[in-house]
Amino acid sequence: MNNLPPLKPLVSFRAAARHNSFTKAAHELNLTHGAVSRAVKQLEEFFGFELFEKNKPNVVIADII
């Protein structure tokens, strides 16, 4: 039983949260937009809820409380 989220996707999440953009996070991390999106999706599946509200062209951290 693993209570910790996968650590590598947390780097993408942090960058996306800081920039409010998957594209800008991808540029910072030298990844594709799709790679950042998949990393965030992996965390969302782990936690069982969405982490971002997608408001094109930006994303904002979801209100989860």
Side-chain angles (χ1 to χ4, degrees):
M1 183 173 203
N2 190 359
N3 293 329
L4 293 176
L7 298 180
K8 191 169 183 180
L10 288 174
V11 175
S12 293
F13 168 77
R14 184 172 181 260
R18 186 171 50 257
H19 293 293
N20 289 330
S21 168
F22 287 6
T23 302
K24 289 179 183 176
H27 181 72
E28 175 187 324
L29 300 171
N30 294 318
L31 298 172
T32 64
H33 177 280
V36 172
S37 180
R38 284 188 299 276
V40 170
K41 183 168 179 62
Q42 186 178 4
L43 288 175
E44 289 175 336
E45 289 173 357
F46 177 85
F47 290 120
F49 53 83
E50 289 188 4
L51 297 172
F52 289 99
E53 294 177 6
K54 284 87 174 174
N55 296 322
K56 290 184 180 181
N58 297 323
V59 296
V60 293
I61 295 179
D63 184 14
I64 57 177
I65 297 177

